[in-house]
Amino acid sequence: MNRHLISAADLSRDDALRVLDTADELARISDRPIKKLPTLRGRTVVNLFFEDSTRTRISFEAAAKRLSADVINFSAKGSSVAKGESLKDTALTLEAMGADAVVIRHNASGAPHRLAEWVRGSVINAGDGAHEHPTQALLDAFTIRRRFGRSSNGQGPGGQAARGGTLDGLRVTIVGDILHSRVARSNVILLHTLGAEVLLVAPPTLLPVAVDTWPCSIAYDLDAALPKSDVVMMLRIQLERMNAAFFPSVREYSRRYGLDSARMAQLPERAIVMHPGPMNRGVEIAAGVADSPRSTVVEQVANGVSVRMAVLYLLLGGAEGDQ
């Protein structure tokens, strides 16, 4: 692996499978009475969050602590950033403190890339603007692989993750606000790298410019896509990022692109439903669908800790020879 994880494109197929295989090994720790390893003892991980977050920040903190790293949580609110301190000055402060890894979430696309120029430690992108969120894509791929039990030689027994497993041939449909979604961008890149066929379904107004250059297909009719999907990933409508009217009303959007029980019935028998969270129940996904056995929402949160442990381990503890 590279020294940083800023984009899903930083991962080759072998890199991605190595992360997923390592996460599979580390997931077994959660079944132990003591959920800790001494792997990163003496290392310092800084969570540098300029945007509000619950799942991602707590997930990275739990991952670092389970590997015995020292964790510093930095929030822009109440810090010198609120007084006008620049990202570079903040980075230099972290460098002076000897941070071995900086996990950054920022509202500006490209902020992790700039940060990597100013610090000697590893930089992990935990979401930058509407650009990317690579560890979310990794945990989504990990969740899919565990549900389908894909092996490198075909399809294994359902529900069992195979070491070296791939996603070759799986059909993944991503639905909703593609335009503002960093999760969608990272998932398209990573799922394509792992061999899945990705379809984006959204209103034309919620598709980014040059989306036709992405390694995926595009459609506008959700009902036509569902019977051919192994995985359906619903995205939240990000009203906080919208500065124009991208659809007539939330009710109209939900009618055309929301996943309710009737639509879920159109899915193949083994298909699963995913959502990166937080969910707008009753908008992009019905409560009954979100809470159904075919939903992986809770699994994704749990798997996020294992995957982020794997990323920290490979960047800081288990891949010195690769850097």
Side-chain angles (χ1 to χ4, degrees):
M1 286 181 66
N2 297 326
R3 186 160 61 95
H4 308 296
L5 179 56
I6 295 173
S7 166
D10 294 338
L11 298 169
S12 66
R13 182 181 173 94
D14 287 342
D15 288 336
L17 289 175
R18 187 178 183 189
V19 173
L20 299 183
D21 289 339
T22 303
D24 195 40
E25 296 287 340
L26 292 171
R28 299 173 189 175
I29 296 173
S30 61
D31 296 328
R32 299 179 182 175
I34 299 176
K35 302 175 175 60
K36 266 203 161 186
L37 290 175
T39 312
L40 298 185
R41 184 175 294 155
R43 300 294 189 105
T44 301
V45 176
V46 177
N47 286 331
L48 183 62
F49 277 62
F50 291 83
E51 280 187 333
D52 293 335
S53 170
T54 301
R55 292 166 184 77
T56 304
R57 182 181 58 78
I58 293 175
S59 180
F60 268 110
E61 182 176 357
K65 287 183 175 179
R66 287 187 185 181
L67 293 172
S68 300
D70 296 319
V71 180
I72 299 173
N73 287 315
F74 176 100
S75 175
K77 292 179 181 178
S79 72
S80 295
V81 173
K83 301 175 183 177
E85 183 174 80
S86 68
L87 177 61
K88 183 173 184 179
D89 288 331
T90 301
L92 295 176
T93 300
L94 299 176
E95 184 69 13
M97 292 179 179
D100 296 294
V102 180
V103 180
I104 179 172
R105 168 168 285 195
H106 203 285
N107 55 4
S109 299
H113 179 78
R114 294 308 305 271
L115 182 67
E117 299 173 354
W118 299 324
V119 299
R120 285 194 293 266
S122 296
V123 173
I124 301 170
N125 182 2
D128 60 329
H131 180 225
E132 280 211 48
H133 195 349
T135 60
Q136 179 69 43
L138 283 165
L139 75 88
D140 289 341
F142 182 74
T143 302
I144 294 169
R145 194 171 77 151
R146 288 201 128 195
R147 273 290 185 121
F148 282 89
R150 287 279 170 140
S151 73
S152 54
N153 297 318
Q155 184 164 323
Q160 298 179 3
R163 187 168 180 81
T166 70
L167 305 184
D168 289 325
L170 278 177
R171 297 163 297 182
V172 181
T173 300
I174 303 177
V175 185
D177 187 0
I178 311 295
L179 178 63
H180 301 99
S181 176
R182 50 198 173 203
V183 173
R185 285 168 171 78
S186 288
N187 263 299
V188 167
I189 295 169
L190 184 68
L191 291 171
H192 174 74
T193 298
L194 291 172
E197 301 172 12
V198 184
L199 173 67
L200 301 180
V201 178
T205 52
L206 288 177
L207 290 171
V209 174
V211 68
D212 56 326
T213 64
W214 294 14
C216 61
S217 303
I218 300 163
Y220 308 106
D221 186 350
L222 178 57
D223 291 301
L226 292 175
K228 298 177 285 186
S229 302
D230 297 305
V231 179
V232 178
M233 184 181 299
M234 306 305 295
L235 300 176
R236 179 176 65 90
I237 293 298
Q238 300 190 41
L239 296 174
E240 72 277 9
R241 297 184 188 276
M242 294 183 180
N243 55 9
F246 291 89
F247 44 83
S249 67
V250 171
R251 183 177 179 180
E252 174 68 11
Y253 175 87
S254 182
R255 187 181 70 82
R256 291 285 306 277
Y257 294 98
L259 186 64
D260 56 18
S261 298
R263 282 202 166 111
M264 188 170 71
Q266 300 179 44
L267 291 170
E269 184 179 350
R270 295 189 66 220
I272 61 174
V273 176
M274 308 185 76
H275 197 301
M279 295 182 289
N280 289 323
R281 291 173 179 254
V283 180
E284 72 271 5
I285 188 168
V289 176
D291 297 329
S292 75
R294 301 175 77 174
S295 168
T296 66
V297 175
V298 176
E299 289 173 51
Q300 288 170 264
V301 175
N303 290 339
V305 177
S306 300
V307 166
R308 285 159 180 145
M309 285 176 70
V311 169
L312 289 170
Y313 168 74
L314 292 171
L315 289 179
L316 299 182
E320 287 89 346
D322 296 344
Q323 296 179 14

